[in-house]
Amino acid sequence: MIKYFFSLFFLLNLIFCPYASATYQLNNTIKQIITKYNVPAASITIINHNRIELARAYKNPNYPKLKVNTNSKFQAASISKTITAAAALRLVAQNKLKLDQSVNDNLKSWKIPVNKFTSKQKITLRNILNMT
């Protein structure tokens, strides 16, 4: 039995809300997944053009005492690496960041300190993204 709360994050860049059948299908799919894998609860947020199009919380019926809503806190865990990498690469595509430039050039309040590892080769966004 899974003892921790898990959150399902879907970052979709599509216009979806006008299609009631898509919403219905998504709701049913998530309910089936959390029941099948015995996940106590999950949340989903769909963002389109910097607007929240849909925010929903789901509770597994096997956990009747559990209270969950769209403001419930969930542990993001490793999924945040993928979302952060996608956001960083989007900024690269918009020429706002460079993959092979020292990240210290963009850091304001903190810098990666110079040490025996960074003195010969600067840490770049490409280096960081390859570590995930």
Side-chain angles (χ1 to χ4, degrees):
M1 176 187 286
I2 300 173
K3 295 182 181 179
Y4 301 100
F5 293 95
F6 290 94
S7 182
L8 300 174
F9 288 92
F10 298 103
L11 184 59
L12 303 174
N13 191 15
L14 53 91
I15 299 174
F16 149 99
C17 284
Y19 304 106
S21 64
T23 304
Y24 178 79
Q25 188 175 16
L26 178 66
N27 284 332
N28 282 341
T29 300
I30 293 172
K31 288 176 185 177
Q32 288 172 4
I33 289 170
I34 66 172
T35 303
K36 179 179 180 178
Y37 294 103
N38 201 30
V39 176
S43 69
I44 181 172
T45 302
I46 296 177
I47 300 169
N48 180 39
H49 298 289
N50 296 322
R51 277 191 358 222
I52 295 176
E53 296 284 344
L54 177 81
R56 294 252 167 86
Y58 301 89
K59 183 179 86 164
N60 187 321
N62 296 326
Y63 297 85
K65 294 182 181 179
L66 182 65
K67 293 185 186 336
V68 63
N69 61 46
T70 56
N71 293 319
S72 298
K73 304 292 185 218
F74 290 89
Q75 182 180 359
S78 291
I79 192 71
S80 61
K81 294 175 191 173
T82 306
I83 294 169
T84 302
L89 291 174
R90 188 172 195 175
L91 292 173
V92 169
Q94 296 169 352
N95 290 319
K96 294 179 180 179
L97 289 177
K98 305 273 185 232
L99 277 175
D100 298 312
Q101 179 181 3
S102 172
V103 293
N104 277 342
D105 294 347
N106 293 309
L107 296 174
K108 304 294 183 220
S109 64
W110 180 83
K111 303 282 184 187
I112 296 174
V114 177
N115 59 41
K116 66 181 181 178
F117 303 107
T118 62
S119 63
K120 295 178 183 167
Q121 181 179 355
K122 302 297 179 196
I123 303 299
T124 66
L125 183 57
R126 185 183 305 273
N127 298 134
I128 293 170
L129 292 177
N130 281 326
M131 292 181 186
T132 59

mmCIF file with all atom_site columns, all heavy atoms in Angstrom, residues 87-105:
data_model
loop_
_atom_site.group_PDB
_atom_site.id
_atom_site.type_symbol
_atom_site.label_atom_id
_atom_site.label_alt_id
_atom_site.label_comp_id
_atom_site.label_asym_id
_atom_site.label_entity_id
_atom_site.label_seq_id
_atom_site.pdbx_PDB_ins_code
_atom_site.Cartn_x
_atom_site.Cartn_y
_atom_site.Cartn_z
_atom_site.occupancy
_atom_site.B_iso_or_equiv
_atom_site.pdbx_formal_charge
_atom_site.auth_seq_id
_atom_site.auth_comp_id
_atom_site.auth_asym_id
_atom_site.auth_atom_id
_atom_site.pdbx_PDB_model_num
ATOM 1   N N   . ALA A 1 87  ? 10.836 24.080 -19.174 1.00 0.00 ? 87  ALA A N   1
ATOM 2   C CA  . ALA A 1 87  ? 10.766 25.541 -19.064 1.00 0.00 ? 87  ALA A CA  1
ATOM 3   C C   . ALA A 1 87  ? 12.097 26.183 -19.460 1.00 0.00 ? 87  ALA A C   1
ATOM 4   O O   . ALA A 1 87  ? 12.128 27.192 -20.173 1.00 0.00 ? 87  ALA A O   1
ATOM 5   C CB  . ALA A 1 87  ? 10.382 25.939 -17.640 1.00 0.00 ? 87  ALA A CB  1
ATOM 6   N N   . ALA A 1 88  ? 13.206 25.592 -19.015 1.00 0.00 ? 88  ALA A N   1
ATOM 7   C CA  . ALA A 1 88  ? 14.528 26.124 -19.360 1.00 0.00 ? 88  ALA A CA  1
ATOM 8   C C   . ALA A 1 88  ? 14.764 26.060 -20.863 1.00 0.00 ? 88  ALA A C   1
ATOM 9   O O   . ALA A 1 88  ? 15.245 27.022 -21.478 1.00 0.00 ? 88  ALA A O   1
ATOM 10  C CB  . ALA A 1 88  ? 15.618 25.360 -18.611 1.00 0.00 ? 88  ALA A CB  1
ATOM 11  N N   . LEU A 1 89  ? 14.417 24.944 -21.483 1.00 0.00 ? 89  LEU A N   1
ATOM 12  C CA  . LEU A 1 89  ? 14.617 24.809 -22.928 1.00 0.00 ? 89  LEU A CA  1
ATOM 13  C C   . LEU A 1 89  ? 13.698 25.737 -23.717 1.00 0.00 ? 89  LEU A C   1
ATOM 14  O O   . LEU A 1 89  ? 14.055 26.196 -24.806 1.00 0.00 ? 89  LEU A O   1
ATOM 15  C CB  . LEU A 1 89  ? 14.438 23.358 -23.355 1.00 0.00 ? 89  LEU A CB  1
ATOM 16  C CG  . LEU A 1 89  ? 15.551 22.431 -22.858 1.00 0.00 ? 89  LEU A CG  1
ATOM 17  C CD1 . LEU A 1 89  ? 15.236 20.986 -23.185 1.00 0.00 ? 89  LEU A CD1 1
ATOM 18  C CD2 . LEU A 1 89  ? 16.902 22.839 -23.428 1.00 0.00 ? 89  LEU A CD2 1
ATOM 19  N N   . ARG A 1 90  ? 12.561 26.049 -23.173 1.00 0.00 ? 90  ARG A N   1
ATOM 20  C CA  . ARG A 1 90  ? 11.680 27.033 -23.823 1.00 0.00 ? 90  ARG A CA  1
ATOM 21  C C   . ARG A 1 90  ? 12.342 28.413 -23.815 1.00 0.00 ? 90  ARG A C   1
ATOM 22  O O   . ARG A 1 90  ? 12.283 29.153 -24.795 1.00 0.00 ? 90  ARG A O   1
ATOM 23  C CB  . ARG A 1 90  ? 10.335 27.079 -23.107 1.00 0.00 ? 90  ARG A CB  1
ATOM 24  C CG  . ARG A 1 90  ? 9.308  27.906 -23.808 1.00 0.00 ? 90  ARG A CG  1
ATOM 25  C CD  . ARG A 1 90  ? 7.963  27.750 -23.153 1.00 0.00 ? 90  ARG A CD  1
ATOM 26  N NE  . ARG A 1 90  ? 6.950  28.255 -24.046 1.00 0.00 ? 90  ARG A NE  1
ATOM 27  C CZ  . ARG A 1 90  ? 5.679  28.171 -23.804 1.00 0.00 ? 90  ARG A CZ  1
ATOM 28  N NH1 . ARG A 1 90  ? 5.243  27.599 -22.711 1.00 0.00 ? 90  ARG A NH1 1
ATOM 29  N NH2 . ARG A 1 90  ? 4.813  28.666 -24.653 1.00 0.00 ? 90  ARG A NH2 1
ATOM 30  N N   . LEU A 1 91  ? 12.987 28.746 -22.692 1.00 0.00 ? 91  LEU A N   1
ATOM 31  C CA  . LEU A 1 91  ? 13.710 30.023 -22.617 1.00 0.00 ? 91  LEU A CA  1
ATOM 32  C C   . LEU A 1 91  ? 14.905 30.037 -23.566 1.00 0.00 ? 91  LEU A C   1
ATOM 33  O O   . LEU A 1 91  ? 15.234 31.071 -24.134 1.00 0.00 ? 91  LEU A O   1
ATOM 34  C CB  . LEU A 1 91  ? 14.150 30.297 -21.174 1.00 0.00 ? 91  LEU A CB  1
ATOM 35  C CG  . LEU A 1 91  ? 13.013 30.575 -20.196 1.00 0.00 ? 91  LEU A CG  1
ATOM 36  C CD1 . LEU A 1 91  ? 13.548 30.649 -18.761 1.00 0.00 ? 91  LEU A CD1 1
ATOM 37  C CD2 . LEU A 1 91  ? 12.277 31.863 -20.554 1.00 0.00 ? 91  LEU A CD2 1
ATOM 38  N N   . VAL A 1 92  ? 15.537 28.886 -23.766 1.00 0.00 ? 92  VAL A N   1
ATOM 39  C CA  . VAL A 1 92  ? 16.626 28.786 -24.750 1.00 0.00 ? 92  VAL A CA  1
ATOM 40  C C   . VAL A 1 92  ? 16.068 29.034 -26.147 1.00 0.00 ? 92  VAL A C   1
ATOM 41  O O   . VAL A 1 92  ? 16.645 29.789 -26.938 1.00 0.00 ? 92  VAL A O   1
ATOM 42  C CB  . VAL A 1 92  ? 17.326 27.413 -24.666 1.00 0.00 ? 92  VAL A CB  1
ATOM 43  C CG1 . VAL A 1 92  ? 18.270 27.194 -25.841 1.00 0.00 ? 92  VAL A CG1 1
ATOM 44  C CG2 . VAL A 1 92  ? 18.085 27.277 -23.343 1.00 0.00 ? 92  VAL A CG2 1
ATOM 45  N N   . ALA A 1 93  ? 14.928 28.437 -26.461 1.00 0.00 ? 93  ALA A N   1
ATOM 46  C CA  . ALA A 1 93  ? 14.305 28.618 -27.776 1.00 0.00 ? 93  ALA A CA  1
ATOM 47  C C   . ALA A 1 93  ? 13.914 30.071 -28.021 1.00 0.00 ? 93  ALA A C   1
ATOM 48  O O   . ALA A 1 93  ? 13.920 30.542 -29.162 1.00 0.00 ? 93  ALA A O   1
ATOM 49  C CB  . ALA A 1 93  ? 13.081 27.713 -27.912 1.00 0.00 ? 93  ALA A CB  1
ATOM 50  N N   . GLN A 1 94  ? 13.599 30.778 -26.949 1.00 0.00 ? 94  GLN A N   1
ATOM 51  C CA  . GLN A 1 94  ? 13.237 32.200 -27.055 1.00 0.00 ? 94  GLN A CA  1
ATOM 52  C C   . GLN A 1 94  ? 14.460 33.113 -26.974 1.00 0.00 ? 94  GLN A C   1
ATOM 53  O O   . GLN A 1 94  ? 14.332 34.327 -26.895 1.00 0.00 ? 94  GLN A O   1
ATOM 54  C CB  . GLN A 1 94  ? 12.248 32.574 -25.940 1.00 0.00 ? 94  GLN A CB  1
ATOM 55  C CG  . GLN A 1 94  ? 10.926 31.864 -26.028 1.00 0.00 ? 94  GLN A CG  1
ATOM 56  C CD  . GLN A 1 94  ? 10.070 32.054 -24.785 1.00 0.00 ? 94  GLN A CD  1
ATOM 57  O OE1 . GLN A 1 94  ? 10.498 32.605 -23.769 1.00 0.00 ? 94  GLN A OE1 1
ATOM 58  N NE2 . GLN A 1 94  ? 8.833  31.586 -24.866 1.00 0.00 ? 94  GLN A NE2 1
ATOM 59  N N   . ASN A 1 95  ? 15.657 32.526 -26.975 1.00 0.00 ? 95  ASN A N   1
ATOM 60  C CA  . ASN A 1 95  ? 16.928 33.260 -26.875 1.00 0.00 ? 95  ASN A CA  1
ATOM 61  C C   . ASN A 1 95  ? 17.047 34.085 -25.600 1.00 0.00 ? 95  ASN A C   1
ATOM 62  O O   . ASN A 1 95  ? 17.729 35.107 -25.571 1.00 0.00 ? 95  ASN A O   1
ATOM 63  C CB  . ASN A 1 95  ? 17.152 34.142 -28.111 1.00 0.00 ? 95  ASN A CB  1
ATOM 64  C CG  . ASN A 1 95  ? 17.436 33.314 -29.331 1.00 0.00 ? 95  ASN A CG  1
ATOM 65  O OD1 . ASN A 1 95  ? 18.161 32.325 -29.259 1.00 0.00 ? 95  ASN A OD1 1
ATOM 66  N ND2 . ASN A 1 95  ? 16.843 33.690 -30.449 1.00 0.00 ? 95  ASN A ND2 1
ATOM 67  N N   . LYS A 1 96  ? 16.398 33.641 -24.528 1.00 0.00 ? 96  LYS A N   1
ATOM 68  C CA  . LYS A 1 96  ? 16.504 34.326 -23.235 1.00 0.00 ? 96  LYS A CA  1
ATOM 69  C C   . LYS A 1 96  ? 17.583 33.690 -22.365 1.00 0.00 ? 96  LYS A C   1
ATOM 70  O O   . LYS A 1 96  ? 18.072 34.319 -21.435 1.00 0.00 ? 96  LYS A O   1
ATOM 71  C CB  . LYS A 1 96  ? 15.161 34.308 -22.514 1.00 0.00 ? 96  LYS A CB  1
ATOM 72  C CG  . LYS A 1 96  ? 14.110 35.136 -23.243 1.00 0.00 ? 96  LYS A CG  1
ATOM 73  C CD  . LYS A 1 96  ? 12.782 35.097 -22.530 1.00 0.00 ? 96  LYS A CD  1
ATOM 74  C CE  . LYS A 1 96  ? 11.769 35.942 -23.283 1.00 0.00 ? 96  LYS A CE  1
ATOM 75  N NZ  . LYS A 1 96  ? 10.447 35.913 -22.644 1.00 0.00 ? 96  LYS A NZ  1
ATOM 76  N N   . LEU A 1 97  ? 17.931 32.446 -22.664 1.00 0.00 ? 97  LEU A N   1
ATOM 77  C CA  . LEU A 1 97  ? 19.025 31.741 -22.006 1.00 0.00 ? 97  LEU A CA  1
ATOM 78  C C   . LEU A 1 97  ? 19.864 31.061 -23.073 1.00 0.00 ? 97  LEU A C   1
ATOM 79  O O   . LEU A 1 97  ? 19.384 30.770 -24.159 1.00 0.00 ? 97  LEU A O   1
ATOM 80  C CB  . LEU A 1 97  ? 18.490 30.664 -21.040 1.00 0.00 ? 97  LEU A CB  1
ATOM 81  C CG  . LEU A 1 97  ? 17.819 31.100 -19.760 1.00 0.00 ? 97  LEU A CG  1
ATOM 82  C CD1 . LEU A 1 97  ? 17.292 29.884 -18.994 1.00 0.00 ? 97  LEU A CD1 1
ATOM 83  C CD2 . LEU A 1 97  ? 18.751 31.902 -18.878 1.00 0.00 ? 97  LEU A CD2 1
ATOM 84  N N   . LYS A 1 98  ? 21.115 30.789 -22.726 1.00 0.00 ? 98  LYS A N   1
ATOM 85  C CA  . LYS A 1 98  ? 22.025 30.082 -23.626 1.00 0.00 ? 98  LYS A CA  1
ATOM 86  C C   . LYS A 1 98  ? 22.456 28.784 -22.953 1.00 0.00 ? 98  LYS A C   1
ATOM 87  O O   . LYS A 1 98  ? 22.800 28.774 -21.773 1.00 0.00 ? 98  LYS A O   1
ATOM 88  C CB  . LYS A 1 98  ? 23.263 30.926 -23.924 1.00 0.00 ? 98  LYS A CB  1
ATOM 89  C CG  . LYS A 1 98  ? 22.963 32.306 -24.476 1.00 0.00 ? 98  LYS A CG  1
ATOM 90  C CD  . LYS A 1 98  ? 22.824 32.240 -25.968 1.00 0.00 ? 98  LYS A CD  1
ATOM 91  C CE  . LYS A 1 98  ? 22.656 33.642 -26.517 1.00 0.00 ? 98  LYS A CE  1
ATOM 92  N NZ  . LYS A 1 98  ? 21.512 33.787 -27.366 1.00 0.00 ? 98  LYS A NZ  1
ATOM 93  N N   . LEU A 1 99  ? 22.445 27.704 -23.706 1.00 0.00 ? 99  LEU A N   1
ATOM 94  C CA  . LEU A 1 99  ? 22.819 26.403 -23.150 1.00 0.00 ? 99  LEU A CA  1
ATOM 95  C C   . LEU A 1 99  ? 24.281 26.333 -22.725 1.00 0.00 ? 99  LEU A C   1
ATOM 96  O O   . LEU A 1 99  ? 24.623 25.655 -21.758 1.00 0.00 ? 99  LEU A O   1
ATOM 97  C CB  . LEU A 1 99  ? 22.557 25.297 -24.178 1.00 0.00 ? 99  LEU A CB  1
ATOM 98  C CG  . LEU A 1 99  ? 21.143 24.762 -24.259 1.00 0.00 ? 99  LEU A CG  1
ATOM 99  C CD1 . LEU A 1 99  ? 21.013 23.758 -25.393 1.00 0.00 ? 99  LEU A CD1 1
ATOM 100 C CD2 . LEU A 1 99  ? 20.709 24.132 -22.955 1.00 0.00 ? 99  LEU A CD2 1
ATOM 101 N N   . ASP A 1 100 ? 25.154 27.029 -23.442 1.00 0.00 ? 100 ASP A N   1
ATOM 102 C CA  . ASP A 1 100 ? 26.590 26.890 -23.197 1.00 0.00 ? 100 ASP A CA  1
ATOM 103 C C   . ASP A 1 100 ? 27.221 28.110 -22.545 1.00 0.00 ? 100 ASP A C   1
ATOM 104 O O   . ASP A 1 100 ? 28.435 28.236 -22.523 1.00 0.00 ? 100 ASP A O   1
ATOM 105 C CB  . ASP A 1 100 ? 27.290 26.542 -24.513 1.00 0.00 ? 100 ASP A CB  1
ATOM 106 C CG  . ASP A 1 100 ? 26.804 25.205 -25.059 1.00 0.00 ? 100 ASP A CG  1
ATOM 107 O OD1 . ASP A 1 100 ? 26.748 24.239 -24.269 1.00 0.00 ? 100 ASP A OD1 1
ATOM 108 O OD2 . ASP A 1 100 ? 26.440 25.122 -26.241 1.00 0.00 ? 100 ASP A OD2 1
ATOM 109 N N   . GLN A 1 101 ? 26.413 28.964 -21.984 1.00 0.00 ? 101 GLN A N   1
ATOM 110 C CA  . GLN A 1 101 ? 26.903 30.140 -21.258 1.00 0.00 ? 101 GLN A CA  1
ATOM 111 C C   . GLN A 1 101 ? 26.977 29.784 -19.774 1.00 0.00 ? 101 GLN A C   1
ATOM 112 O O   . GLN A 1 101 ? 26.171 28.995 -19.269 1.00 0.00 ? 101 GLN A O   1
ATOM 113 C CB  . GLN A 1 101 ? 25.920 31.299 -21.468 1.00 0.00 ? 101 GLN A CB  1
ATOM 114 C CG  . GLN A 1 101 ? 26.284 32.574 -20.763 1.00 0.00 ? 101 GLN A CG  1
ATOM 115 C CD  . GLN A 1 101 ? 25.225 33.655 -21.009 1.00 0.00 ? 101 GLN A CD  1
ATOM 116 O OE1 . GLN A 1 101 ? 24.219 33.414 -21.659 1.00 0.00 ? 101 GLN A OE1 1
ATOM 117 N NE2 . GLN A 1 101 ? 25.459 34.828 -20.479 1.00 0.00 ? 101 GLN A NE2 1
ATOM 118 N N   . SER A 1 102 ? 27.924 30.368 -19.060 1.00 0.00 ? 102 SER A N   1
ATOM 119 C CA  . SER A 1 102 ? 28.031 30.127 -17.620 1.00 0.00 ? 102 SER A CA  1
ATOM 120 C C   . SER A 1 102 ? 26.736 30.550 -16.936 1.00 0.00 ? 102 SER A C   1
ATOM 121 O O   . SER A 1 102 ? 26.225 31.649 -17.178 1.00 0.00 ? 102 SER A O   1
ATOM 122 C CB  . SER A 1 102 ? 29.200 30.919 -17.029 1.00 0.00 ? 102 SER A CB  1
ATOM 123 O OG  . SER A 1 102 ? 29.183 30.830 -15.616 1.00 0.00 ? 102 SER A OG  1
ATOM 124 N N   . VAL A 1 103 ? 26.200 29.668 -16.099 1.00 0.00 ? 103 VAL A N   1
ATOM 125 C CA  . VAL A 1 103 ? 24.955 30.018 -15.396 1.00 0.00 ? 103 VAL A CA  1
ATOM 126 C C   . VAL A 1 103 ? 25.166 31.183 -14.439 1.00 0.00 ? 103 VAL A C   1
ATOM 127 O O   . VAL A 1 103 ? 24.226 31.912 -14.125 1.00 0.00 ? 103 VAL A O   1
ATOM 128 C CB  . VAL A 1 103 ? 24.344 28.804 -14.652 1.00 0.00 ? 103 VAL A CB  1
ATOM 129 C CG1 . VAL A 1 103 ? 23.853 27.760 -15.631 1.00 0.00 ? 103 VAL A CG1 1
ATOM 130 C CG2 . VAL A 1 103 ? 25.289 28.216 -13.647 1.00 0.00 ? 103 VAL A CG2 1
ATOM 131 N N   . ASN A 1 104 ? 26.391 31.398 -13.991 1.00 0.00 ? 104 ASN A N   1
ATOM 132 C CA  . ASN A 1 104 ? 26.668 32.524 -13.112 1.00 0.00 ? 104 ASN A CA  1
ATOM 133 C C   . ASN A 1 104 ? 26.367 33.863 -13.778 1.00 0.00 ? 104 ASN A C   1
ATOM 134 O O   . ASN A 1 104 ? 26.101 34.849 -13.096 1.00 0.00 ? 104 ASN A O   1
ATOM 135 C CB  . ASN A 1 104 ? 28.120 32.497 -12.623 1.00 0.00 ? 104 ASN A CB  1
ATOM 136 C CG  . ASN A 1 104 ? 28.293 31.580 -11.430 1.00 0.00 ? 104 ASN A CG  1
ATOM 137 O OD1 . ASN A 1 104 ? 27.328 31.220 -10.760 1.00 0.00 ? 104 ASN A OD1 1
ATOM 138 N ND2 . ASN A 1 104 ? 29.533 31.197 -11.160 1.00 0.00 ? 104 ASN A ND2 1
ATOM 139 N N   . ASP A 1 105 ? 26.392 33.899 -15.102 1.00 0.00 ? 105 ASP A N   1
ATOM 140 C CA  . ASP A 1 105 ? 26.073 35.146 -15.812 1.00 0.00 ? 105 ASP A CA  1
ATOM 141 C C   . ASP A 1 105 ? 24.626 35.569 -15.588 1.00 0.00 ? 105 ASP A C   1
ATOM 142 O O   . ASP A 1 105 ? 24.297 36.750 -15.691 1.00 0.00 ? 105 ASP A O   1
ATOM 143 C CB  . ASP A 1 105 ? 26.317 34.993 -17.319 1.00 0.00 ? 105 ASP A CB  1
ATOM 144 C CG  . ASP A 1 105 ? 27.796 34.792 -17.649 1.00 0.00 ? 105 ASP A CG  1
ATOM 145 O OD1 . ASP A 1 105 ? 28.645 35.014 -16.760 1.00 0.00 ? 105 ASP A OD1 1
ATOM 146 O OD2 . ASP A 1 105 ? 28.080 34.412 -18.793 1.00 0.00 ? 105 ASP A OD2 1
#
